[in-house]
Amino acid sequence: IDFLGRTVPVHWDYHAILMVGVWVMLVPICIITIRFGKPKPTLNGIREQVKLTNLVSWWFSAHKYGLYLAVGLSLLGLAVAMTASRGFSGSVHSIFGILTIVLGCLQVISGLLRGKHGGRNYGDPYDMTPRRRKFEAYHKTAGYFAGFFAIGAVASGLMQFPMPVLAAVVLIFVLVVLAACIVLEYKGYRHDG
């Protein structure tokens, strides 16, 4: 880092830990918050404006800003990988990784173009305009594909550069997320749009 007068060694460990933290931990947490944190449908929609400082809409803020952070950190992880490998390697891992990051960036762009909810007040997440329905269809489908590619990137990365402790952390966290989703689904916290 020239402007600080310091040298920071670039290692694959940094890339692996960062990307696993983003795509195996942060992204699922952001998805769970929107899937299970959304309020029940009401006749009047949402009365409070959905914004970062409003505690009522924490579920949307955690999803939106958490995924913005995830995409930003992914771009940083990409920069670390490109620096460590001195370019694009063309391996299965790099292809899965690039596809994951491209879909993540497209998710951010699509979110900026998503349109408004229908209904009164500040919108009703269950009453959607046609533009919003198209966004929801794209956003969820592209999210599943991004998740698939992320799993491929993590698995192929851990095969290419074995880190047994990180692999154990991935397995444990995936099982915890699975258990949390089962419990939250059973308790009736999911309200689809």
Side-chain angles (χ1 to χ4, degrees), residues 123-168:
D124 184 350
Y126 307 101
D127 179 17
M128 297 184 208
T129 61
R131 177 178 173 179
R132 185 62 185 232
R133 293 180 70 77
K134 289 174 189 167
F135 160 75
E136 291 281 337
Y138 168 78
H139 192 66
K140 287 180 181 178
T141 305
Y144 287 124
F145 276 95
F148 170 77
F149 291 134
I151 290 167
V154 168
S156 61
L158 288 173
M159 283 189 258
Q160 189 175 339
F161 189 74
M163 296 177 72
V165 173
L166 190 60

Side-chain angles (χ1 to χ4, degrees), residues 3-157:
F3 69 91
L4 292 177
R6 296 190 64 189
T7 301
V8 177
V10 177
H11 295 288
W12 283 111
D13 295 9
Y14 300 150
H15 170 77
I17 292 167
L18 177 63
M19 294 308 244
V20 164
V22 168
W23 289 99
V24 175
M25 296 177 177
L26 179 59
V27 169
I29 288 170
C30 293
I31 293 168
I32 287 171
T33 59
I34 196 106
R35 184 169 179 85
F36 297 110
K38 197 182 306 177
K40 291 181 182 180
T42 66
L43 294 175
N44 299 320
I46 297 174
R47 292 185 176 270
E48 296 84 12
Q49 186 173 6
V50 176
K51 59 184 180 178
L52 183 60
T53 57
N54 188 349
L55 292 178
V56 174
S57 59
W58 69 271
W59 50 275
F60 182 75
S61 296
H63 178 75
K64 179 180 179 179
Y65 297 109
L67 290 177
Y68 283 174
L69 176 64
V71 169
L73 290 173
S74 294
L75 292 171
L76 178 64
L78 174 64
V80 169
M82 297 292 276
T83 302
S85 64
R86 293 185 174 86
F88 181 68
S89 69
S91 67
V92 171
H93 171 72
S94 64
I95 292 169
F96 273 129
I98 291 291
L99 289 171
T100 302
I101 293 171
V102 165
L103 282 173
C105 291
L106 289 174
Q107 290 289 69
V108 169
I109 293 167
S110 73
L112 297 172
L113 303 173
R114 74 183 178 276
K116 303 286 183 200
H117 288 297
R120 292 178 259 175
N121 303 317
Y122 290 104
D124 184 350
Y126 307 101
D127 179 17
M128 297 184 208
T129 61
R131 177 178 173 179
R132 185 62 185 232
R133 293 180 70 77
K134 289 174 189 167
F135 160 75
E136 291 281 337
Y138 168 78
H139 192 66
K140 287 180 181 178
T141 305
Y144 287 124
F145 276 95
F148 170 77
F149 291 134
I151 290 167
V154 168
S156 61

